[in-house]
Amino acid sequence: AEEFVLLDVGGGTGNFTQMLLEEDQGTGKVRNKRGIVLEPFLEKSHVIDAPSLEFIRMGAEILKDDVGDSIELSWRRRYNACLMKEVVHHFDAKDRVGIFRGVCDDLKRNKSASVCNKMSVDPDILIITRPQRDIDYPFYSWEEVREVWAENQPSVEDIEDDLIRAGFGNVRHTMVPFECSCSINQWVGMVKGRLWSTFSHFSDDELEEASQLILRDFLKTKGGKKEVADDDDTVTFEERLLFVSGCS
């Protein structure tokens, strides 16, 4: 049976990686599925125990290095698909093409060395990220956070251009929107708790002030009849994910 080995860049605990590998397990022509999780902040106590996963405690920048005969980088000779989920915005802009090129070169070499995917035109890299500006999160009149978001989130056009410069072909993207809802108090708690790295650019005092602004703006949408939000006061917004793919 053919072997499918997925490199999950910034894969954290490996939970999502394992879920992907278990999807349709045992069906189709690919029966041996394994994952390599590349995670610089790897903590052994937090990762899942799965025989199909291999964890590498390194950052994505290692993908820029030449593999050569390196034993330490031998894992780069084994994967035939790459996932970058909600991680590409953490790459320095100057490093993106180099990281993508390293992945592209690995995929080309590994395909030619195995039967799996040989001569295939199927995408073998998938980047999941969010829009730079077209976001719908309930920030209301907190405009500063939108600017910080945009400054630290590469546009899909820049990502696609870098993939092409790195050697990928058939580069394209799709935006998938879906409705989300939670209590406004839960949302404010996530902001103050720095759910995303975006919020780490603000001090505690700034996040407290922004949270109060969000709450005031939310209550205005209720006709100004309430002064305090209850736990059952729900805010609804559209989550928008970008799926960018390419073929090595």
Side-chain angles (χ1 to χ4, degrees), residues 12 28 37 41 46 49 52-53 58 65 79 90 110-111 113 117 120 126 134 137 186 199 201 213 215 218 237:
V37 179
F41 306 110
H46 295 159
D49 182 16
S52 59
L53 295 184
M58 294 180 178
D65 294 351
Y79 68 93
H90 291 300
N110 299 346
K111 280 196 294 186
N117 281 337
S120 171
L126 176 64
D134 187 22
Y137 302 117
Q186 182 182 9
F199 304 132
H201 294 270
L213 177 64
L215 285 170
F218 171 80
F237 56 93

mmCIF file with all atom_site columns, all heavy atoms in Angstrom, residues 12 28 37 41 46 49 52-53 58 65 79 90 110-111 113 117 120 126 134 137 186 199 201 213 215 218 237:
data_model
loop_
_atom_site.group_PDB
_atom_site.id
_atom_site.type_symbol
_atom_site.label_atom_id
_atom_site.label_alt_id
_atom_site.label_comp_id
_atom_site.label_asym_id
_atom_site.label_entity_id
_atom_site.label_seq_id
_atom_site.pdbx_PDB_ins_code
_atom_site.Cartn_x
_atom_site.Cartn_y
_atom_site.Cartn_z
_atom_site.occupancy
_atom_site.B_iso_or_equiv
_atom_site.pdbx_formal_charge
_atom_site.auth_seq_id
_atom_site.auth_comp_id
_atom_site.auth_asym_id
_atom_site.auth_atom_id
_atom_site.pdbx_PDB_model_num
ATOM 1   N N   . GLY A 1 12  ? 1.586   21.984 16.972  1.00 0.00 ? 12  GLY A N   1
ATOM 2   C CA  . GLY A 1 12  ? 1.244   21.985 18.401  1.00 0.00 ? 12  GLY A CA  1
ATOM 3   C C   . GLY A 1 12  ? 1.255   20.607 19.023  1.00 0.00 ? 12  GLY A C   1
ATOM 4   O O   . GLY A 1 12  ? 2.228   19.855 18.934  1.00 0.00 ? 12  GLY A O   1
ATOM 5   N N   . GLY A 1 28  ? -9.617  3.561  0.431   1.00 0.00 ? 28  GLY A N   1
ATOM 6   C CA  . GLY A 1 28  ? -8.840  4.068  -0.696  1.00 0.00 ? 28  GLY A CA  1
ATOM 7   C C   . GLY A 1 28  ? -7.523  3.340  -0.825  1.00 0.00 ? 28  GLY A C   1
ATOM 8   O O   . GLY A 1 28  ? -7.252  2.339  -0.159  1.00 0.00 ? 28  GLY A O   1
ATOM 9   N N   . VAL A 1 37  ? 5.064   16.235 13.110  1.00 0.00 ? 37  VAL A N   1
ATOM 10  C CA  . VAL A 1 37  ? 4.637   17.514 13.683  1.00 0.00 ? 37  VAL A CA  1
ATOM 11  C C   . VAL A 1 37  ? 5.865   18.352 13.998  1.00 0.00 ? 37  VAL A C   1
ATOM 12  O O   . VAL A 1 37  ? 6.707   17.969 14.822  1.00 0.00 ? 37  VAL A O   1
ATOM 13  C CB  . VAL A 1 37  ? 3.797   17.302 14.958  1.00 0.00 ? 37  VAL A CB  1
ATOM 14  C CG1 . VAL A 1 37  ? 3.381   18.650 15.551  1.00 0.00 ? 37  VAL A CG1 1
ATOM 15  C CG2 . VAL A 1 37  ? 2.566   16.458 14.650  1.00 0.00 ? 37  VAL A CG2 1
ATOM 16  N N   . PHE A 1 41  ? 7.738   24.924 20.196  1.00 0.00 ? 41  PHE A N   1
ATOM 17  C CA  . PHE A 1 41  ? 7.406   25.047 21.610  1.00 0.00 ? 41  PHE A CA  1
ATOM 18  C C   . PHE A 1 41  ? 6.876   23.722 22.162  1.00 0.00 ? 41  PHE A C   1
ATOM 19  O O   . PHE A 1 41  ? 5.969   23.692 22.990  1.00 0.00 ? 41  PHE A O   1
ATOM 20  C CB  . PHE A 1 41  ? 6.385   26.166 21.822  1.00 0.00 ? 41  PHE A CB  1
ATOM 21  C CG  . PHE A 1 41  ? 6.830   27.478 21.232  1.00 0.00 ? 41  PHE A CG  1
ATOM 22  C CD1 . PHE A 1 41  ? 6.213   28.018 20.119  1.00 0.00 ? 41  PHE A CD1 1
ATOM 23  C CD2 . PHE A 1 41  ? 7.889   28.175 21.796  1.00 0.00 ? 41  PHE A CD2 1
ATOM 24  C CE1 . PHE A 1 41  ? 6.634   29.227 19.571  1.00 0.00 ? 41  PHE A CE1 1
ATOM 25  C CE2 . PHE A 1 41  ? 8.311   29.383 21.264  1.00 0.00 ? 41  PHE A CE2 1
ATOM 26  C CZ  . PHE A 1 41  ? 7.690   29.908 20.149  1.00 0.00 ? 41  PHE A CZ  1
ATOM 27  N N   . HIS A 1 46  ? 2.361   17.733 26.900  1.00 0.00 ? 46  HIS A N   1
ATOM 28  C CA  . HIS A 1 46  ? 1.153   18.246 26.256  1.00 0.00 ? 46  HIS A CA  1
ATOM 29  C C   . HIS A 1 46  ? 0.805   17.527 24.965  1.00 0.00 ? 46  HIS A C   1
ATOM 30  O O   . HIS A 1 46  ? -0.303  17.665 24.455  1.00 0.00 ? 46  HIS A O   1
ATOM 31  C CB  . HIS A 1 46  ? 1.309   19.745 25.969  1.00 0.00 ? 46  HIS A CB  1
ATOM 32  C CG  . HIS A 1 46  ? 1.408   20.578 27.205  1.00 0.00 ? 46  HIS A CG  1
ATOM 33  N ND1 . HIS A 1 46  ? 1.959   21.843 27.222  1.00 0.00 ? 46  HIS A ND1 1
ATOM 34  C CD2 . HIS A 1 46  ? 1.040   20.318 28.476  1.00 0.00 ? 46  HIS A CD2 1
ATOM 35  C CE1 . HIS A 1 46  ? 1.921   22.330 28.453  1.00 0.00 ? 46  HIS A CE1 1
ATOM 36  N NE2 . HIS A 1 46  ? 1.368   21.426 29.228  1.00 0.00 ? 46  HIS A NE2 1
ATOM 37  N N   . ASP A 1 49  ? -0.275  10.871 22.660  1.00 0.00 ? 49  ASP A N   1
ATOM 38  C CA  . ASP A 1 49  ? 0.488   9.631  22.465  1.00 0.00 ? 49  ASP A CA  1
ATOM 39  C C   . ASP A 1 49  ? -0.134  8.880  21.292  1.00 0.00 ? 49  ASP A C   1
ATOM 40  O O   . ASP A 1 49  ? -1.164  8.231  21.430  1.00 0.00 ? 49  ASP A O   1
ATOM 41  C CB  . ASP A 1 49  ? 0.432   8.785  23.743  1.00 0.00 ? 49  ASP A CB  1
ATOM 42  C CG  . ASP A 1 49  ? 1.257   7.511  23.618  1.00 0.00 ? 49  ASP A CG  1
ATOM 43  O OD1 . ASP A 1 49  ? 2.086   7.437  22.688  1.00 0.00 ? 49  ASP A OD1 1
ATOM 44  O OD2 . ASP A 1 49  ? 1.056   6.592  24.434  1.00 0.00 ? 49  ASP A OD2 1
ATOM 45  N N   . SER A 1 52  ? 1.366   6.910  15.229  1.00 0.00 ? 52  SER A N   1
ATOM 46  C CA  . SER A 1 52  ? 1.451   7.374  13.845  1.00 0.00 ? 52  SER A CA  1
ATOM 47  C C   . SER A 1 52  ? 2.097   8.758  13.735  1.00 0.00 ? 52  SER A C   1
ATOM 48  O O   . SER A 1 52  ? 2.305   9.254  12.628  1.00 0.00 ? 52  SER A O   1
ATOM 49  C CB  . SER A 1 52  ? 0.062   7.413  13.206  1.00 0.00 ? 52  SER A CB  1
ATOM 50  O OG  . SER A 1 52  ? -0.790  8.284  13.942  1.00 0.00 ? 52  SER A OG  1
ATOM 51  N N   . LEU A 1 53  ? 2.420   9.393  14.887  1.00 0.00 ? 53  LEU A N   1
ATOM 52  C CA  . LEU A 1 53  ? 2.984   10.744 14.879  1.00 0.00 ? 53  LEU A CA  1
ATOM 53  C C   . LEU A 1 53  ? 4.430   10.759 15.347  1.00 0.00 ? 53  LEU A C   1
ATOM 54  O O   . LEU A 1 53  ? 4.818   10.045 16.269  1.00 0.00 ? 53  LEU A O   1
ATOM 55  C CB  . LEU A 1 53  ? 2.162   11.678 15.781  1.00 0.00 ? 53  LEU A CB  1
ATOM 56  C CG  . LEU A 1 53  ? 0.720   11.983 15.374  1.00 0.00 ? 53  LEU A CG  1
ATOM 57  C CD1 . LEU A 1 53  ? 0.123   13.006 16.333  1.00 0.00 ? 53  LEU A CD1 1
ATOM 58  C CD2 . LEU A 1 53  ? 0.641   12.487 13.944  1.00 0.00 ? 53  LEU A CD2 1
ATOM 59  N N   . MET A 1 58  ? 11.495  21.854 16.442  1.00 0.00 ? 58  MET A N   1
ATOM 60  C CA  . MET A 1 58  ? 12.220  22.836 15.643  1.00 0.00 ? 58  MET A CA  1
ATOM 61  C C   . MET A 1 58  ? 11.223  23.843 15.090  1.00 0.00 ? 58  MET A C   1
ATOM 62  O O   . MET A 1 58  ? 10.033  23.549 14.960  1.00 0.00 ? 58  MET A O   1
ATOM 63  C CB  . MET A 1 58  ? 12.958  22.170 14.472  1.00 0.00 ? 58  MET A CB  1
ATOM 64  C CG  . MET A 1 58  ? 14.084  21.234 14.852  1.00 0.00 ? 58  MET A CG  1
ATOM 65  S SD  . MET A 1 58  ? 14.882  20.517 13.383  1.00 0.00 ? 58  MET A SD  1
ATOM 66  C CE  . MET A 1 58  ? 16.167  19.521 14.163  1.00 0.00 ? 58  MET A CE  1
ATOM 67  N N   . ASP A 1 65  ? 17.061  25.416 5.508   1.00 0.00 ? 65  ASP A N   1
ATOM 68  C CA  . ASP A 1 65  ? 18.389  24.811 5.449   1.00 0.00 ? 65  ASP A CA  1
ATOM 69  C C   . ASP A 1 65  ? 18.453  23.696 4.415   1.00 0.00 ? 65  ASP A C   1
ATOM 70  O O   . ASP A 1 65  ? 17.456  23.012 4.147   1.00 0.00 ? 65  ASP A O   1
ATOM 71  C CB  . ASP A 1 65  ? 18.775  24.246 6.821   1.00 0.00 ? 65  ASP A CB  1
ATOM 72  C CG  . ASP A 1 65  ? 18.951  25.335 7.871   1.00 0.00 ? 65  ASP A CG  1
ATOM 73  O OD1 . ASP A 1 65  ? 18.949  26.525 7.480   1.00 0.00 ? 65  ASP A OD1 1
ATOM 74  O OD2 . ASP A 1 65  ? 19.082  24.995 9.051   1.00 0.00 ? 65  ASP A OD2 1
ATOM 75  N N   . TYR A 1 79  ? 8.352   13.087 4.053   1.00 0.00 ? 79  TYR A N   1
ATOM 76  C CA  . TYR A 1 79  ? 6.963   13.534 3.908   1.00 0.00 ? 79  TYR A CA  1
ATOM 77  C C   . TYR A 1 79  ? 6.610   13.811 2.448   1.00 0.00 ? 79  TYR A C   1
ATOM 78  O O   . TYR A 1 79  ? 7.467   14.136 1.632   1.00 0.00 ? 79  TYR A O   1
ATOM 79  C CB  . TYR A 1 79  ? 6.681   14.755 4.784   1.00 0.00 ? 79  TYR A CB  1
ATOM 80  C CG  . TYR A 1 79  ? 7.377   16.038 4.390   1.00 0.00 ? 79  TYR A CG  1
ATOM 81  C CD1 . TYR A 1 79  ? 6.758   16.966 3.552   1.00 0.00 ? 79  TYR A CD1 1
ATOM 82  C CD2 . TYR A 1 79  ? 8.650   16.362 4.881   1.00 0.00 ? 79  TYR A CD2 1
ATOM 83  C CE1 . TYR A 1 79  ? 7.373   18.165 3.213   1.00 0.00 ? 79  TYR A CE1 1
ATOM 84  C CE2 . TYR A 1 79  ? 9.272   17.556 4.541   1.00 0.00 ? 79  TYR A CE2 1
ATOM 85  C CZ  . TYR A 1 79  ? 8.632   18.447 3.712   1.00 0.00 ? 79  TYR A CZ  1
ATOM 86  O OH  . TYR A 1 79  ? 9.241   19.633 3.368   1.00 0.00 ? 79  TYR A OH  1
ATOM 87  N N   . HIS A 1 90  ? 3.075   33.866 11.490  1.00 0.00 ? 90  HIS A N   1
ATOM 88  C CA  . HIS A 1 90  ? 4.176   33.932 12.450  1.00 0.00 ? 90  HIS A CA  1
ATOM 89  C C   . HIS A 1 90  ? 5.540   33.961 11.755  1.00 0.00 ? 90  HIS A C   1
ATOM 90  O O   . HIS A 1 90  ? 6.555   34.237 12.400  1.00 0.00 ? 90  HIS A O   1
ATOM 91  C CB  . HIS A 1 90  ? 4.129   32.744 13.412  1.00 0.00 ? 90  HIS A CB  1
ATOM 92  C CG  . HIS A 1 90  ? 2.978   32.779 14.372  1.00 0.00 ? 90  HIS A CG  1
ATOM 93  N ND1 . HIS A 1 90  ? 2.786   33.810 15.268  1.00 0.00 ? 90  HIS A ND1 1
ATOM 94  C CD2 . HIS A 1 90  ? 1.947   31.911 14.577  1.00 0.00 ? 90  HIS A CD2 1
ATOM 95  C CE1 . HIS A 1 90  ? 1.692   33.577 15.989  1.00 0.00 ? 90  HIS A CE1 1
ATOM 96  N NE2 . HIS A 1 90  ? 1.175   32.439 15.582  1.00 0.00 ? 90  HIS A NE2 1
ATOM 97  N N   . ASN A 1 110 ? 11.076  14.000 -2.559  1.00 0.00 ? 110 ASN A N   1
ATOM 98  C CA  . ASN A 1 110 ? 10.440  12.848 -1.943  1.00 0.00 ? 110 ASN A CA  1
ATOM 99  C C   . ASN A 1 110 ? 9.457   12.164 -2.881  1.00 0.00 ? 110 ASN A C   1
ATOM 100 O O   . ASN A 1 110 ? 9.270   10.945 -2.818  1.00 0.00 ? 110 ASN A O   1
ATOM 101 C CB  . ASN A 1 110 ? 9.735   13.274 -0.647  1.00 0.00 ? 110 ASN A CB  1
ATOM 102 C CG  . ASN A 1 110 ? 10.713  13.836 0.373   1.00 0.00 ? 110 ASN A CG  1
ATOM 103 O OD1 . ASN A 1 110 ? 11.927  13.687 0.233   1.00 0.00 ? 110 ASN A OD1 1
ATOM 104 N ND2 . ASN A 1 110 ? 10.190  14.504 1.393   1.00 0.00 ? 110 ASN A ND2 1
ATOM 105 N N   . LYS A 1 111 ? 8.820   12.942 -3.755  1.00 0.00 ? 111 LYS A N   1
ATOM 106 C CA  . LYS A 1 111 ? 7.920   12.336 -4.744  1.00 0.00 ? 111 LYS A CA  1
ATOM 107 C C   . LYS A 1 111 ? 8.700   11.490 -5.742  1.00 0.00 ? 111 LYS A C   1
ATOM 108 O O   . LYS A 1 111 ? 8.263   10.407 -6.122  1.00 0.00 ? 111 LYS A O   1
ATOM 109 C CB  . LYS A 1 111 ? 7.125   13.407 -5.486  1.00 0.00 ? 111 LYS A CB  1
ATOM 110 C CG  . LYS A 1 111 ? 5.928   13.931 -4.735  1.00 0.00 ? 111 LYS A CG  1
ATOM 111 C CD  . LYS A 1 111 ? 4.970   14.690 -5.630  1.00 0.00 ? 111 LYS A CD  1
ATOM 112 C CE  . LYS A 1 111 ? 5.564   15.955 -6.169  1.00 0.00 ? 111 LYS A CE  1
ATOM 113 N NZ  . LYS A 1 111 ? 4.555   16.758 -6.924  1.00 0.00 ? 111 LYS A NZ  1
ATOM 114 N N   . ALA A 1 113 ? 11.330  9.960  -5.253  1.00 0.00 ? 113 ALA A N   1
ATOM 115 C CA  . ALA A 1 113 ? 11.944  8.801  -4.609  1.00 0.00 ? 113 ALA A CA  1
ATOM 116 C C   . ALA A 1 113 ? 10.934  7.730  -4.231  1.00 0.00 ? 113 ALA A C   1
ATOM 117 O O   . ALA A 1 113 ? 11.295  6.675  -3.735  1.00 0.00 ? 113 ALA A O   1
ATOM 118 C CB  . ALA A 1 113 ? 12.701  9.240  -3.362  1.00 0.00 ? 113 ALA A CB  1
ATOM 119 N N   . ASN A 1 117 ? 2.226   9.693  -5.219  1.00 0.00 ? 117 ASN A N   1
ATOM 120 C CA  . ASN A 1 117 ? 2.062   11.017 -5.814  1.00 0.00 ? 117 ASN A CA  1
ATOM 121 C C   . ASN A 1 117 ? 2.979   11.290 -7.003  1.00 0.00 ? 117 ASN A C   1
ATOM 122 O O   . ASN A 1 117 ? 3.045   12.407 -7.483  1.00 0.00 ? 117 ASN A O   1
ATOM 123 C CB  . ASN A 1 117 ? 2.298   12.124 -4.764  1.00 0.00 ? 117 ASN A CB  1
ATOM 124 C CG  . ASN A 1 117 ? 1.076   12.319 -3.885  1.00 0.00 ? 117 ASN A CG  1
ATOM 125 O OD1 . ASN A 1 117 ? -0.031  11.979 -4.278  1.00 0.00 ? 117 ASN A OD1 1
ATOM 126 N ND2 . ASN A 1 117 ? 1.293   12.839 -2.697  1.00 0.00 ? 117 ASN A ND2 1
ATOM 127 N N   . SER A 1 120 ? 1.960   13.336 -10.071 1.00 0.00 ? 120 SER A N   1
ATOM 128 C CA  . SER A 1 120 ? 0.633   13.829 -9.699  1.00 0.00 ? 120 SER A CA  1
ATOM 129 C C   . SER A 1 120 ? 0.577   15.344 -9.837  1.00 0.00 ? 120 SER A C   1
ATOM 130 O O   . SER A 1 120 ? 1.562   16.039 -9.647  1.00 0.00 ? 120 SER A O   1
ATOM 131 C CB  . SER A 1 120 ? 0.303   13.431 -8.258  1.00 0.00 ? 120 SER A CB  1
ATOM 132 O OG  . SER A 1 120 ? -0.874  14.079 -7.818  1.00 0.00 ? 120 SER A OG  1
ATOM 133 N N   . LEU A 1 126 ? -0.951  22.812 1.755   1.00 0.00 ? 126 LEU A N   1
ATOM 134 C CA  . LEU A 1 126 ? -2.181  23.523 2.094   1.00 0.00 ? 126 LEU A CA  1
ATOM 135 C C   . LEU A 1 126 ? -1.880  24.471 3.241   1.00 0.00 ? 126 LEU A C   1
ATOM 136 O O   . LEU A 1 126 ? -1.374  24.054 4.287   1.00 0.00 ? 126 LEU A O   1
ATOM 137 C CB  . LEU A 1 126 ? -3.289  22.551 2.504   1.00 0.00 ? 126 LEU A CB  1
ATOM 138 C CG  . LEU A 1 126 ? -4.594  23.202 2.974   1.00 0.00 ? 126 LEU A CG  1
ATOM 139 C CD1 . LEU A 1 126 ? -5.247  23.998 1.839   1.00 0.00 ? 126 LEU A CD1 1
ATOM 140 C CD2 . LEU A 1 126 ? -5.578  22.149 3.505   1.00 0.00 ? 126 LEU A CD2 1
ATOM 141 N N   . ASP A 1 134 ? -10.408 41.672 5.507   1.00 0.00 ? 134 ASP A N   1
ATOM 142 C CA  . ASP A 1 134 ? -11.830 41.320 5.396   1.00 0.00 ? 134 ASP A CA  1
ATOM 143 C C   . ASP A 1 134 ? -12.237 40.370 6.520   1.00 0.00 ? 134 ASP A C   1
ATOM 144 O O   . ASP A 1 134 ? -12.556 39.201 6.298   1.00 0.00 ? 134 ASP A O   1
ATOM 145 C CB  . ASP A 1 134 ? -12.098 40.688 4.029   1.00 0.00 ? 134 ASP A CB  1
ATOM 146 C CG  . ASP A 1 134 ? -13.588 40.447 3.792   1.00 0.00 ? 134 ASP A CG  1
ATOM 147 O OD1 . ASP A 1 134 ? -14.405 41.121 4.457   1.00 0.00 ? 134 ASP A OD1 1
ATOM 148 O OD2 . ASP A 1 134 ? -13.921 39.590 2.951   1.00 0.00 ? 134 ASP A OD2 1
ATOM 149 N N   . TYR A 1 137 ? -14.860 39.902 12.967  1.00 0.00 ? 137 TYR A N   1
ATOM 150 C CA  . TYR A 1 137 ? -14.894 39.715 14.411  1.00 0.00 ? 137 TYR A CA  1
ATOM 151 C C   . TYR A 1 137 ? -15.528 40.923 15.095  1.00 0.00 ? 137 TYR A C   1
ATOM 152 O O   . TYR A 1 137 ? -15.366 42.063 14.634  1.00 0.00 ? 137 TYR A O   1
ATOM 153 C CB  . TYR A 1 137 ? -13.480 39.481 14.948  1.00 0.00 ? 137 TYR A CB  1
ATOM 154 C CG  . TYR A 1 137 ? -12.811 38.289 14.319  1.00 0.00 ? 137 TYR A CG  1
ATOM 155 C CD1 . TYR A 1 137 ? -11.659 38.420 13.561  1.00 0.00 ? 137 TYR A CD1 1
ATOM 156 C CD2 . TYR A 1 137 ? -13.364 37.015 14.465  1.00 0.00 ? 137 TYR A CD2 1
ATOM 157 C CE1 . TYR A 1 137 ? -11.058 37.325 12.961  1.00 0.00 ? 137 TYR A CE1 1
ATOM 158 C CE2 . TYR A 1 137 ? -12.780 35.916 13.867  1.00 0.00 ? 137 TYR A CE2 1
ATOM 159 C CZ  . TYR A 1 137 ? -11.627 36.074 13.118  1.00 0.00 ? 137 TYR A CZ  1
ATOM 160 O OH  . TYR A 1 137 ? -11.043 34.988 12.522  1.00 0.00 ? 137 TYR A OH  1
ATOM 161 N N   . GLN A 1 186 ? -18.118 35.936 27.035  1.00 0.00 ? 186 GLN A N   1
ATOM 162 C CA  . GLN A 1 186 ? -17.091 34.965 26.666  1.00 0.00 ? 186 GLN A CA  1
ATOM 163 C C   . GLN A 1 186 ? -16.120 35.569 25.652  1.00 0.00 ? 186 GLN A C   1
ATOM 164 O O   . GLN A 1 186 ? -14.903 35.384 25.749  1.00 0.00 ? 186 GLN A O   1
ATOM 165 C CB  . GLN A 1 186 ? -17.737 33.710 26.078  1.00 0.00 ? 186 GLN A CB  1
ATOM 166 C CG  . GLN A 1 186 ? -16.747 32.612 25.711  1.00 0.00 ? 186 GLN A CG  1
ATOM 167 C CD  . GLN A 1 186 ? -17.425 31.401 25.095  1.00 0.00 ? 186 GLN A CD  1
ATOM 168 O OE1 . GLN A 1 186 ? -18.616 31.430 24.787  1.00 0.00 ? 186 GLN A OE1 1
ATOM 169 N NE2 . GLN A 1 186 ? -16.666 30.341 24.911  1.00 0.00 ? 186 GLN A NE2 1
ATOM 170 N N   . PHE A 1 199 ? -3.573  40.085 20.193  1.00 0.00 ? 199 PHE A N   1
ATOM 171 C CA  . PHE A 1 199 ? -3.842  40.801 21.438  1.00 0.00 ? 199 PHE A CA  1
ATOM 172 C C   . PHE A 1 199 ? -2.596  40.977 22.300  1.00 0.00 ? 199 PHE A C   1
ATOM 173 O O   . PHE A 1 199 ? -2.598  41.777 23.237  1.00 0.00 ? 199 PHE A O   1
ATOM 174 C CB  . PHE A 1 199 ? -4.934  40.082 22.228  1.00 0.00 ? 199 PHE A CB  1
ATOM 175 C CG  . PHE A 1 199 ? -6.212  39.888 21.459  1.00 0.00 ? 199 PHE A CG  1
ATOM 176 C CD1 . PHE A 1 199 ? -6.855  38.651 21.433  1.00 0.00 ? 199 PHE A CD1 1
ATOM 177 C CD2 . PHE A 1 199 ? -6.775  40.936 20.746  1.00 0.00 ? 199 PHE A CD2 1
ATOM 178 C CE1 . PHE A 1 199 ? -8.035  38.472 20.715  1.00 0.00 ? 199 PHE A CE1 1
ATOM 179 C CE2 . PHE A 1 199 ? -7.951  40.770 20.025  1.00 0.00 ? 199 PHE A CE2 1
ATOM 180 C CZ  . PHE A 1 199 ? -8.581  39.523 20.012  1.00 0.00 ? 199 PHE A CZ  1
ATOM 181 N N   . HIS A 1 201 ? -0.055  42.417 21.467  1.00 0.00 ? 201 HIS A N   1
ATOM 182 C CA  . HIS A 1 201 ? 0.516   43.724 21.145  1.00 0.00 ? 201 HIS A CA  1
ATOM 183 C C   . HIS A 1 201 ? -0.085  44.835 22.015  1.00 0.00 ? 201 HIS A C   1
ATOM 184 O O   . HIS A 1 201 ? 0.306   45.995 21.870  1.00 0.00 ? 201 HIS A O   1
ATOM 185 C CB  . HIS A 1 201 ? 0.281   44.053 19.667  1.00 0.00 ? 201 HIS A CB  1
ATOM 186 C CG  . HIS A 1 201 ? 1.011   43.141 18.726  1.00 0.00 ? 201 HIS A CG  1
ATOM 187 N ND1 . HIS A 1 201 ? 2.285   43.401 18.272  1.00 0.00 ? 201 HIS A ND1 1
ATOM 188 C CD2 . HIS A 1 201 ? 0.649   41.956 18.171  1.00 0.00 ? 201 HIS A CD2 1
ATOM 189 C CE1 . HIS A 1 201 ? 2.661   42.429 17.461  1.00 0.00 ? 201 HIS A CE1 1
ATOM 190 N NE2 . HIS A 1 201 ? 1.700   41.544 17.381  1.00 0.00 ? 201 HIS A NE2 1
ATOM 191 N N   . LEU A 1 213 ? -15.059 49.025 25.825  1.00 0.00 ? 213 LEU A N   1
ATOM 192 C CA  . LEU A 1 213 ? -15.561 49.624 24.590  1.00 0.00 ? 213 LEU A CA  1
ATOM 193 C C   . LEU A 1 213 ? -16.429 48.633 23.823  1.00 0.00 ? 213 LEU A C   1
ATOM 194 O O   . LEU A 1 213 ? -17.518 48.976 23.339  1.00 0.00 ? 213 LEU A O   1
ATOM 195 C CB  . LEU A 1 213 ? -14.380 50.079 23.719  1.00 0.00 ? 213 LEU A CB  1
ATOM 196 C CG  . LEU A 1 213 ? -14.729 50.666 22.343  1.00 0.00 ? 213 LEU A CG  1
ATOM 197 C CD1 . LEU A 1 213 ? -15.532 51.953 22.493  1.00 0.00 ? 213 LEU A CD1 1
ATOM 198 C CD2 . LEU A 1 213 ? -13.449 50.930 21.549  1.00 0.00 ? 213 LEU A CD2 1
ATOM 199 N N   . LEU A 1 215 ? -18.055 46.076 25.039  1.00 0.00 ? 215 LEU A N   1
ATOM 200 C CA  . LEU A 1 215 ? -19.301 45.866 25.784  1.00 0.00 ? 215 LEU A CA  1
ATOM 201 C C   . LEU A 1 215 ? -20.277 47.028 25.589  1.00 0.00 ? 215 LEU A C   1
ATOM 202 O O   . LEU A 1 215 ? -21.481 46.817 25.397  1.00 0.00 ? 215 LEU A O   1
ATOM 203 C CB  . LEU A 1 215 ? -18.997 45.667 27.269  1.00 0.00 ? 215 LEU A CB  1
ATOM 204 C CG  . LEU A 1 215 ? -18.417 44.297 27.656  1.00 0.00 ? 215 LEU A CG  1
ATOM 205 C CD1 . LEU A 1 215 ? -17.934 44.311 29.097  1.00 0.00 ? 215 LEU A CD1 1
ATOM 206 C CD2 . LEU A 1 215 ? -19.460 43.200 27.450  1.00 0.00 ? 215 LEU A CD2 1
ATOM 207 N N   . PHE A 1 218 ? -21.662 46.813 22.113  1.00 0.00 ? 218 PHE A N   1
ATOM 208 C CA  . PHE A 1 218 ? -22.609 45.703 22.018  1.00 0.00 ? 218 PHE A CA  1
ATOM 209 C C   . PHE A 1 218 ? -23.955 46.081 22.625  1.00 0.00 ? 218 PHE A C   1
ATOM 210 O O   . PHE A 1 218 ? -25.012 45.817 22.046  1.00 0.00 ? 218 PHE A O   1
ATOM 211 C CB  . PHE A 1 218 ? -22.047 44.467 22.728  1.00 0.00 ? 218 PHE A CB  1
ATOM 212 C CG  . PHE A 1 218 ? -23.041 43.348 22.867  1.00 0.00 ? 218 PHE A CG  1
ATOM 213 C CD1 . PHE A 1 218 ? -23.302 42.502 21.801  1.00 0.00 ? 218 PHE A CD1 1
ATOM 214 C CD2 . PHE A 1 218 ? -23.726 43.152 24.060  1.00 0.00 ? 218 PHE A CD2 1
ATOM 215 C CE1 . PHE A 1 218 ? -24.230 41.477 21.922  1.00 0.00 ? 218 PHE A CE1 1
ATOM 216 C CE2 . PHE A 1 218 ? -24.651 42.131 24.200  1.00 0.00 ? 218 PHE A CE2 1
ATOM 217 C CZ  . PHE A 1 218 ? -24.910 41.281 23.122  1.00 0.00 ? 218 PHE A CZ  1
ATOM 218 N N   . PHE A 1 237 ? -21.065 36.359 14.556  1.00 0.00 ? 237 PHE A N   1
ATOM 219 C CA  . PHE A 1 237 ? -20.158 36.929 13.548  1.00 0.00 ? 237 PHE A CA  1
ATOM 220 C C   . PHE A 1 237 ? -19.780 35.835 12.552  1.00 0.00 ? 237 PHE A C   1
ATOM 221 O O   . PHE A 1 237 ? -20.077 34.651 12.768  1.00 0.00 ? 237 PHE A O   1
ATOM 222 C CB  . PHE A 1 237 ? -18.904 37.521 14.199  1.00 0.00 ? 237 PHE A CB  1
ATOM 223 C CG  . PHE A 1 237 ? -18.131 36.546 15.048  1.00 0.00 ? 237 PHE A CG  1
ATOM 224 C CD1 . PHE A 1 237 ? -17.078 35.816 14.518  1.00 0.00 ? 237 PHE A CD1 1
ATOM 225 C CD2 . PHE A 1 237 ? -18.461 36.359 16.387  1.00 0.00 ? 237 PHE A CD2 1
ATOM 226 C CE1 . PHE A 1 237 ? -16.377 34.912 15.298  1.00 0.00 ? 237 PHE A CE1 1
ATOM 227 C CE2 . PHE A 1 237 ? -17.762 35.458 17.178  1.00 0.00 ? 237 PHE A CE2 1
ATOM 228 C CZ  . PHE A 1 237 ? -16.714 34.739 16.636  1.00 0.00 ? 237 PHE A CZ  1
#
